[in-house]
Structure formats: structure tokens, C-alpha cells
Amino acid sequence: MGMSVIISAATAEDAEQILKLQYLCFQSEAELYGNYRIDPLVQTLESVRGQLTAHLVFVARLGDEVVGAVCGSTDVDGTGEIARLCVHPRLQRHGLGARLLKAAESALADERSATRFRLHTGHRSEVNLRLYRRAGYAPVGNTTGQDGVRLVQLEKDAAAPAYVASA
């Protein structure tokens, strides 16, 4: 490739690339559940722009191309909520998702004083579950998303180690 992937805060100019990347990345999740109405596939450009204004959004860039993204916010209790983690299919399984997750966690702790992190993924999404377990997350419950997909909720304390030895 000749270039390295850089993680940085997203800008308003990234909104369209983030939306297109999400649409590409979440196709495999939609196929896994037989549901092409999952939230990341029906999100609008205006909604992405709103996230860029209200939340902490990070992107992974390879040159000018956005090849990964993650969104972080805090709830009323100060828990950091992490969502929409995605990496371009051609760059998956190279640690980029873990780097984006770490960027979101660090910013939520530093800028929003989060002491705990929460995220969710589909119950059949073994690759995602493995990543989150390696990052120190533990299942705390199940829920069903508005799109009808059964989700596993995972949490970890902000002081927990970034990665555990075995997954």
C-alpha cells in the first residue's frame, strides 16, 4: 500500500464517506441476520451529520479515503456508549477495529469523563464478540433492537486493561 492508516477525529466533510462505508461494512451483518433494515443500513446522511456534531466520531484514513469509523457518546449516568464500529472489508483482521475502539474509549474517558463503556452487537456476530472480549468487554444482557435483531450488550470498566491475554 505504501501508506499507513491514521486514526483521527472525523470532520463534517467525512459524513458522506462514513455513511457509504457503513453501508458497505454492515452488509455482512444484514446477510447474517437476513435483515437488510438494520440500523446502520437505514441511517440517513443527515443523521450521520448530526452524530458528527453531537458525539465523538473517529475515522481511520488511508490517504484521503475513510476506511474505518466509530462513534462514541455518553449517557446520563456518564457511561460511554460506543456504536457503529466498522472497518472496510479489505482492511479487516489487521487490528484497525481495535485501534478505533481504543480511540473511542480514550476520548470518552478523557473528554467526557466516562468511567465505564457499553456497546452492543448482534448475538450471531462471532467476529465482533471475539474483538470485544479481547478488549476486555463482558456480556451484561440481551436486548432486541428496533430492527428486530437480538443484541448482546457488553460493558467494561474504563480502568480495565485494554486487552486481555486470552479471548
Side-chain angles (χ1 to χ4, degrees):
M1 272 187 248
M3 288 186 260
S4 60
V5 176
I6 308 289
I7 307 288
S8 62
T11 66
E13 291 77 32
D14 296 324
E16 193 170 330
Q17 281 195 70
I18 291 169
L19 182 67
K20 288 177 181 178
L21 177 68
Q22 241 179 226
Y23 191 81
L24 172 67
C25 293
F26 282 91
Q27 291 295 317
S28 59
E29 288 292 299
E31 184 177 340
L32 184 61
Y33 295 97
N35 182 346
Y36 288 85
R37 301 288 303 156
I38 61 174
D39 293 341
L41 296 185
V42 297
Q43 187 173 17
T44 65
L45 182 57
E46 280 309 307
S47 176
V48 172
R49 287 184 176 134
Q51 283 180 330
L52 288 168
T53 301
H55 304 304
L56 299 173
V57 180
F58 292 90
V59 293
R61 296 179 199 283
L62 183 61
D64 292 333
E65 182 185 6
V66 172
V67 295
V70 65
C71 181
S73 61
T74 48
D75 68 12
V76 294
D77 298 326
T79 298
E81 300 275 351
I82 298 172
R84 304 269 200 270
L85 176 62
C86 61
V87 174
H88 194 288
R90 77 175 189 271
L91 296 173
Q92 290 176 2
R93 292 187 170 74
H94 295 286
L96 195 48
R99 287 177 57 199
L100 283 161
L101 183 59
K102 178 69 174 146
E105 291 172 349
S106 295
L108 287 167
D110 295 345
E111 298 175 32
R112 305 274 172 100
S113 302
T115 57
R116 161 162 230 76
F117 304 118
R118 178 181 304 131
L119 48 77
H120 64 267
T121 191
H123 71 288
R124 295 181 193 151
S125 303
E126 284 303 320
V127 172
N128 298 346
L129 289 165
R130 196 168 31 255
L131 167 67
Y132 299 141
R133 282 192 302 264
R134 278 195 324 264
Y137 286 82
V140 295
N142 295 303
T143 187
T144 301
Q146 291 179 328
D147 52 22
V149 173
R150 197 169 100 220
L151 303 169
V152 178
Q153 289 186 317
L154 302 107
E155 291 185 1
K156 85 171 189 180
D157 189 82
Y163 289 90
V164 294
S166 62

